[in-house]
């Protein structure tokens, strides 16, 4: 079902927040070395279906090997269902909106065992049903096979209107009907004010205005 807005959303209020997926930067040379120890079979990724972190038998160990690719940036995706974030991004997340995230600190080392700066596995755990469907332009797929009965698709472009009165003081959240993460303008400003690079290729952080995806 294609939803068309009666009055489109205002630009610059909310953003899609994700790891960089658009630059041509080579794949990072880091991985969770002890993943086989952390995962309980028959699971194939560490993140549970309902999000957050399972009980871990040991600290996740991230090993960086420069021969396999560049060092992780402030934000990298694809760590067994989680994001990997730098300490300075973690500080922004944890100070501005700690209820939005779960974190687990990692043991981060070079391939020769040399310790590296702190990094954290991160999951967005706040969920808000705050999409204004009437004012948004997006595909709404209805099917009982979806976990919550429908799914918001933004493939091919979309314009998302968020109901600010439902978001209130929250800065980062998921919706029950999608996999994308929404961030407020306040969160975007706080990330940039902390000195993180605005270029996704450099920081690994992508912010796309939700009003014009």
């Amino acid at each position: 079902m294609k939803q068309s807005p009666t009055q489109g959303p205002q630009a610059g209020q909310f953003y899609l927040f994700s790891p960089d997926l658009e630059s041509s930067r080579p794949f990072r040379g880091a991985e969770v070395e002890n993943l086989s120890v952390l995962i309980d079979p028959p699971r194939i990724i560490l993140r549970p279906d309902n999000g957050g972190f399972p009980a871990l038998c040991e600290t996740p160990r991230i090993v960086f090997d420069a021969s396999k690719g560049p060092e992780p940036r402030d934000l990298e995706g694809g760590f067994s269902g989680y994001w990997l974030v730098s300490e300075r991004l973690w500080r922004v997340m944890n100070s501005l909106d700690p209820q939005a995230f779960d974190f687990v600190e990692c043991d981060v080392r070079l391939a020769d065992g040399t310790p590296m700066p702190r990094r954290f596995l991160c999951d967005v755990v706040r969920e808000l049903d705050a999409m204004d469907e009437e004012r948004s332009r997006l595909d709404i797929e209805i099917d009982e096979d979806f976990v919550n009965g429908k799914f918001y698709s933004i493939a091919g472009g979309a314009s998302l209107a968020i109901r600010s009165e439902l978001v209130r003081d929250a800065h980062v959240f998921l919706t029950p009907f999608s996999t994308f993460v929404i961030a407020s303008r306040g969160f975007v400003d706080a990330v940039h004010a902390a000195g993180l690079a605005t270029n996704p290729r450099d920081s690994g952080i992508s912010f796309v205005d939700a009003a014009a995806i």
Side-chain angles (χ1 to χ4, degrees):
M1 176 177 64
K2 193 72 174 182
Q3 196 78 26
S4 298
T6 56
Q7 181 181 357
Q10 182 178 342
Q13 291 187 323
F14 292 95
Y15 294 78
L16 264 61
F17 172 32
S18 70
D20 170 37
L21 297 174
E22 297 182 11
S23 78
S24 57
R25 187 177 188 268
F27 193 70
R28 87 273 165 165
E31 60 184 6
V32 184
E33 186 184 55
N34 58 340
L35 192 58
S36 61
V37 176
L38 299 173
I39 292 179
D40 291 326
R43 296 198 57 81
I44 58 174
I45 66 169
L46 185 57
R47 184 182 183 274
D49 293 339
N50 60 350
F53 288 90
L56 301 176
C57 60
E58 61 184 49
T59 301
R61 188 166 56 253
I62 306 293
V63 175
F64 168 57
D65 185 345
S67 69
K68 296 181 179 179
E71 184 175 340
R73 296 164 290 180
D74 290 286
L75 178 61
E76 296 284 354
F79 282 82
S80 202
Y82 298 109
W83 294 348
L84 185 72
V85 304
S86 67
E87 182 173 7
R88 62 179 179 171
L89 179 55
W90 169 79
R91 289 187 184 279
V92 176
M93 292 170 153
N94 207 36
S95 62
L96 189 63
D97 198 357
Q99 302 304 316
F101 309 99
D102 272 355
F103 299 100
V104 167
E105 186 167 2
C106 302
D107 177 9
V108 189
R109 299 179 179 273
L110 295 174
D112 65 4
T114 303
M116 292 187 68
R118 297 173 77 191
R119 304 269 176 173
F120 300 80
L121 291 179
C122 169
D123 195 32
V124 177
V125 294
R126 177 188 285 121
E127 187 175 89
L128 294 175
D129 186 5
M131 189 74 69
D132 188 333
E133 294 183 359
E134 291 186 359
R135 294 178 54 238
S136 297
R137 177 175 56 81
L138 76 162
D139 285 325
I140 302 176
E141 302 177 13
I142 309 294
D143 195 301
E144 62 182 13
D145 288 339
F146 294 127
V147 174
N148 294 307
K150 63 181 176 182
F151 182 77
Y152 294 151
S153 174
I154 57 175
S159 180
L160 308 181
I162 308 298
R163 298 177 63 184
S164 299
E165 73 276 12
L166 298 180
V167 175
R168 298 183 181 181
D169 295 332
H171 287 281
V172 177
F173 59 93
L174 297 158
T175 84
F177 310 112
S178 69
T179 57
F180 51 79
V181 177
I182 300 292
S184 71
R185 177 58 182 266
F187 182 81
V188 175
D189 290 345
V191 168
H192 293 161
L196 285 84
T198 58
N199 186 336
R201 180 180 175 87
D202 297 327
S203 67
I205 304 169
S206 176
F207 290 123
V208 176
D209 195 329
I213 301 168

